[in-house]
Amino acid sequence: MAALMAVFCRPLPVETAGLAALAVPAGGTEAKYVALTFDDGPRADTTGRLLDGLKERGAHATFFVIGEQVPENEGLLRRMAVEGHQVGNHTFSHQSLQNAGEHTVIEEIQKTEVLLEEILGEGEYWLRPPYGLVDSRTPQLVKTPMVYWSLDPEDWRLLNTEQVVSYVLGRVKNGDIILLHDFYPTSVDAALQIVDALQAEGYVFLTVEELLAQFDTEPQAGALYASATEERSW
Ligand code: NI
């Protein structure tokens, strides 16, 4: 049964199937593309509600999960993959990789990767470094693309739905990667309001992997992507 689940839960066919339906812009305006990313989950009482709302709206997102929070939230991870979202790695215990020992960096990434492969099957689980912090040795140690962001409303600090929504709506542009945290109820509410407002303007919500593909950006292992077309250096 475990092997069978692994086959059915591989994210790629689901994402491919979902993309055609998503790529139709609302209102006949020219399509613009954006990626919502959620860090620090999954969390039982907030992530499920977010997944319900994204499904209702036909929006894809990317979830960078903390390994420590995976074992009690396996059902949420399966939902993410089945519903066309991208699941990524946010390390096992949310430790900064900047100036960390080589062994620590590898262990923090691998422990989460093993858990994700057990639940979702083999795959490439892109990394969001905690706090966005890396150093010059990181690219040699990380075997997948890494994801930064181009828009950060600091939702964890604001804890205010209206302020997060207005920050994002006031600055968003085609190709942005938006940083949010599914850990906070205010951020879940903000994310769904952002989807409603931007879909009405012709934005399509993609996973980070889909967003890069949409802009013909070829994802490279060890590169840190800040938007669909920008890499961040350090
Ligand atoms: Ni984080």
Side-chain angles (χ1 to χ4, degrees), residues 11-12 22 32 37 50 57 60 72 84 100-101 104 106 116 123 127 129 140 144 154 173 183 194 198 213 218 233:
L12 187 61
L22 281 169
K32 289 167 277 185
T37 63
L50 176 60
R57 292 161 175 81
H60 284 173
E72 65 271 35
T104 304
I106 291 168
L116 292 177
L127 178 74
Q140 280 83 54
T144 65
E154 301 194 346
K173 59 188 186 309
F183 201 81
I194 288 165
L198 293 183
E218 185 79 41
S233 51

Side-chain angles (χ1 to χ4, degrees), residues 39-41 64 66 90 94 128-132 179-181:
D39 287 7
D40 297 359
F64 293 100
I66 296 176
H90 198 40
H94 206 270
R128 171 161 278 151
Y131 317 101
L179 172 61
L180 292 169
H181 298 79

Side-chain angles (χ1 to χ4, degrees), residues 126-186:
W126 294 13
L127 178 74
R128 171 161 278 151
Y131 317 101
L133 294 174
V134 294
D135 62 40
S136 57
R137 304 161 309 151
T138 314
Q140 280 83 54
L141 300 174
V142 176
K143 308 293 179 216
T144 65
M146 296 187 286
V147 182
Y148 197 74
W149 53 82
S150 51
L151 207 47
D152 174 13
E154 301 194 346
D155 61 328
W156 55 270
R157 186 177 60 79
L158 293 175
L159 296 177
N160 179 304
T161 301
E162 205 184 329
Q163 287 175 19
V164 171
V165 171
S166 108
Y167 183 99
V168 171
L169 297 185
R171 293 165 178 81
V172 68
K173 59 188 186 309
N174 194 19
D176 266 339
I177 295 175
I178 302 170
L179 172 61
L180 292 169
H181 298 79
D182 51 323
F183 201 81
Y184 306 106
T186 46

Side-chain angles (χ1 to χ4, degrees), residues 39-221:
D39 287 7
D40 297 359
R43 177 171 165 166
D45 57 347
T46 48
T47 308
R49 189 162 70 81
L50 176 60
L51 287 171
D52 292 342
L54 293 172
K55 189 177 180 184
E56 227 169 83
R57 292 161 175 81
H60 284 173
T62 304
F63 292 86
F64 293 100
V65 301
I66 296 176
E68 278 178 347
Q69 284 160 220
V70 164
E72 65 271 35
N73 291 303
E74 293 186 9
L76 288 170
L77 284 175
R78 289 200 182 90
R79 268 196 75 183
M80 288 170 190
V82 165
E83 292 172 13
H85 305 297
Q86 183 177 355
V87 178
N89 187 337
H90 198 40
T91 74
F92 188 76
S93 59
H94 206 270
Q95 197 172 328
S96 169
L97 304 181
Q98 193 172 55
N99 303 320
E102 194 170 308
H103 177 77
T104 304
V105 173
I106 291 168
E107 195 182 32
E108 278 287 319
I109 295 168
Q110 274 184 354
K111 276 168 81 176
T112 299
E113 211 164 65
V114 166
L115 286 172
L116 292 177
E117 289 193 340
E118 277 172 12
I119 299 164
L120 302 178
E122 263 180 59
E124 203 181 44
Y125 297 101
W126 294 13
L127 178 74
R128 171 161 278 151
Y131 317 101
L133 294 174
V134 294
D135 62 40
S136 57
R137 304 161 309 151
T138 314
Q140 280 83 54
L141 300 174
V142 176
K143 308 293 179 216
T144 65
M146 296 187 286
V147 182
Y148 197 74
W149 53 82
S150 51
L151 207 47
D152 174 13
E154 301 194 346
D155 61 328
W156 55 270
R157 186 177 60 79
L158 293 175
L159 296 177
N160 179 304
T161 301
E162 205 184 329
Q163 287 175 19
V164 171
V165 171
S166 108
Y167 183 99
V168 171
L169 297 185
R171 293 165 178 81
V172 68
K173 59 188 186 309
N174 194 19
D176 266 339
I177 295 175
I178 302 170
L179 172 61
L180 292 169
H181 298 79
D182 51 323
F183 201 81
Y184 306 106
T186 46
S187 299
V188 171
D189 291 332
L192 298 178
Q193 288 183 26
I194 288 165
V195 172
D196 286 338
L198 293 183
Q199 280 182 337
E201 290 180 25
Y203 274 94
V204 178
F205 286 81
L206 301 177
T207 68
V208 174
E209 192 171 5
E210 291 165 346
L211 183 75
L212 265 55
Q214 187 67 42
F215 285 79
D216 295 321
T217 299
E218 185 79 41
Q220 305 290 335

